[in-house]
Amino acid sequence: MSDDGLGLSASVAIALGGMIGGGIFSILGLVATIAGPRTWLAFVLAGVVAACAGYSYNKLNAVSDPNGGSVTYVQRFSRNTTLAGMVGWTLLFGYVGSMAMYAYAFGSFTVELAGVHAVFGVPTRPAVSALSVVGFVALNLLGARASGTTENVLVGAKLLILLAVGGWGAYYGATTGGLAFGIDGLGGVDPLVAAAVSFVAFQGWQLLFYDRDSIRDPDQTIPRAVYAAIAVAVLVYVLVAVVTTTLLTPAQILEFKHVALAKAAEPFMGSAGYAVVSAAALVSTGSAINATLFSSAHFAKGMIDENLLPDRVGDTGADGAPERTLVLLGIVTVAFTVYGSLDGITSFASLAFIAVFGVMSALALTQHADDRVSALPPLLGTLGCATFAPLMFYHLATREPNVFGAVVLTALAVFVVEVTYFERAELVRVASAVEDGIEDGFDSYRRRR
């Protein structure tokens, strides 16, 4: 590895880009409607499980040869190509869900800032969200991406804005009536449910494992960057969660959940605070769409090269991200963000990452006999993900039945497509055997007649 690779600070910025970059602006209000003043606790719980998954990735990488990511680890330790492919597809759909969530937030903040919620009776949010995805697909097709330095500056600026708003808001709340932590009601499952829903806000750090060749001393830098990025994200999320649930009533959070953080800035910063946070949200969600689109297209390219995706999805010989892959990812993302609700999109994306991170934690747990792998973090990661998934389904089934139906049908459709693709040879063999059996039966019947 050359000395001019990415160092620790740049690697942390990359990892934070997918979390701080779009997650908090997209899901804060949604999580707060579930957990109320205990929203901070939901973020802590999700962060702990994400950190355990990060530990699992790091240890799988340490004992794996060659190094890689989710799909490589599954192939290496399970020897099951079907499972590896299904994990890859699930992760890819998780990225699509994340982009749809970012686009939804981008459209919501744009519409609120412009004050134009409908044109000729047609809601403008879906159109703005769709156009944002189309625009970033076009930029990637043209090869126009922000440089690494620009991405680092953007992440730093967004982080400073959130810390400034959170710090000012915390001071304002503490001096005008006290901060709300919900300490008197720590029982119940609402924080756990909210943690499950918020899990998508803790993805992004795993992209570092696909950028090993760009990172200086990756065996040392990547683990430190993963842990540092998750810790910083938790601290920022806790800060803005406490401020938001202190300064907004539950009714206001429910009404403004798509733009809750911007509304929370109004009591102490006025309309300027709303405008600053909204502008930061537009930059954050926009850059998150762009970065995730680029990374997921390259991830898909690697899967095509490993015969885990059909060749028709993209050209692996193309320089950079394959054009067809970018377009297909854009089309699916537009469909999600236009026709899905924020609750449904967020839940589906979180579910995808819960599944993948749970599998990675379980794989790391199988390696605990290796002196380099402690059993406790992978065990906590596995149990955490195994707890989050049913709690999310229970929450959706009891409180959001329409969203529950949409998420379940989407997840089942993805599962059926994955199984059909990876087991197509076996399915053809079974179908052929059944057909031969039917023909033999008819021939036997005719001979008896």
Side-chain angles (χ1 to χ4, degrees):
M1 175 57 58
S2 64
D3 293 336
D4 59 351
L6 298 174
L8 180 60
S9 60
S11 298
V12 172
I14 291 173
L16 279 174
M19 294 186 283
I20 299 294
I24 191 63
F25 294 104
S26 306
I27 56 102
L28 175 60
L30 179 59
V31 176
T33 60
I34 299 172
R38 293 180 291 171
T39 299
W40 66 271
L41 180 58
F43 285 129
V44 170
L45 293 172
V48 168
V49 175
C52 290
Y55 176 91
S56 299
Y57 268 79
N58 284 323
K59 295 307 176 182
L60 287 173
N61 194 70
V63 301
S64 178
D65 184 25
N67 301 120
S70 306
V71 176
T72 304
Y73 301 149
V74 176
Q75 287 180 319
R76 166 69 173 79
F77 295 107
S78 74
R79 308 291 184 183
N80 190 323
T81 301
T82 295
L83 180 60
M86 292 178 68
V87 166
W89 280 44
T90 301
L91 192 56
L92 196 57
F93 273 102
Y95 291 142
V96 169
S98 299
M99 289 188 289
M101 182 184 73
Y102 301 147
Y104 196 112
F106 185 95
S108 296
F109 278 100
T110 300
V111 166
E112 290 293 333
L113 270 178
V116 181
H117 296 83
V119 176
F120 301 116
V122 179
T124 52
R125 198 287 306 165
V128 174
S129 295
L131 287 173
S132 69
V133 176
V134 171
F136 286 114
V137 169
L139 284 176
N140 276 269
L141 288 174
L142 293 173
R145 290 191 71 249
S147 66
T149 301
T150 303
E151 290 286 357
N152 292 345
V153 170
L154 286 174
V155 171
K158 290 176 286 190
L159 188 60
L160 286 175
I161 289 174
L162 286 172
L163 288 174
V165 171
W168 191 354
Y171 173 79
Y172 176 84
T175 56
T176 57
L179 298 174
F181 291 95
I183 299 296
D184 55 343
L186 288 180
V189 299
D190 283 350
L192 278 170
V193 172
V197 173
S198 73
F199 206 66
V200 66
F202 287 95
Q203 69 85 17
W205 49 264
Q206 77 278 8
L207 295 174
L208 289 175
F209 294 92
Y210 305 116
D211 289 331
R212 284 184 59 86
D213 292 340
S214 304
I215 297 174
R216 184 167 59 247
D217 191 13
D219 292 333
Q220 295 292 327
T221 302
I222 291 178
R224 293 173 183 173
V226 168
Y227 301 137
I230 294 174
V232 170
V234 170
L235 290 174
V236 172
Y237 290 173
V238 167
L239 179 61
V240 297
V242 170
V243 169
T244 300
T245 55
T246 296
L247 301 182
L248 296 182
T249 66
Q252 289 175 316
I253 292 174
L254 183 61
E255 179 182 359
F256 301 114
K257 64 180 179 180
H258 299 156
V259 291
L261 182 56
K263 283 292 182 182
E266 285 187 331
F268 58 96
M269 295 179 69
S271 58
Y274 181 86
V276 168
V277 174
S278 295
L282 291 178
V283 175
S284 297
T285 52
S287 63
I289 295 170
N290 191 40
T292 307
L293 179 64
F294 177 82
S295 298
S296 57
H298 278 272
F299 177 69
K301 181 180 179 180
M303 290 184 64
I304 298 168
D305 196 44
E306 295 292 330
N307 296 317
L308 298 176
L309 277 174
D311 292 340
R312 292 185 296 275
V313 171
D315 178 12
T316 58
D319 293 332
E323 293 184 355
R324 272 178 293 169
T325 306
L326 287 168
V327 172
L328 286 172
L329 288 172
I331 290 172
V332 179
T333 301
V334 166
F336 270 57
T337 197
V338 168
Y339 295 106
S341 66
L342 182 61
D343 303 56
I345 295 168
T346 303
S347 298
F348 175 77
S350 288
L351 185 62
F353 290 108
I354 288 170
V356 172
F357 289 179
V359 169
M360 293 303 107
S361 296
L363 280 179
L365 186 59
T366 65
Q367 304 301 309
H368 72 275
D370 191 300
D371 292 339
R372 291 168 290 182
V373 183
S374 171
L376 183 58
L379 177 62
L380 291 177
T382 303
L383 293 177
C385 291
T387 302
F388 284 167
L391 280 177
M392 181 187 294
F393 281 125
Y394 173 78
H395 161 73
L396 293 177
T398 56
R399 300 188 189 181
E400 302 283 350
N402 292 333
V403 174
F404 172 74
V407 171
V408 169
L409 288 175
T410 303
L412 283 175
V414 170
F415 179 77
V416 169
V417 170
E418 290 175 351
V419 171
T420 302
Y421 179 76
F422 289 107
E423 296 295 330
R424 58 193 183 279
E426 180 65 16
L427 291 173
V428 169
R429 187 191 66 78
V430 171
S432 178
V434 170
E435 183 179 358
D436 291 342
I438 293 174
E439 291 179 355
D440 290 343
F442 275 119
D443 289 342
S444 177
Y445 175 75
R446 284 193 293 268
R447 285 195 298 270
R448 288 198 303 269
R449 293 293 298 264

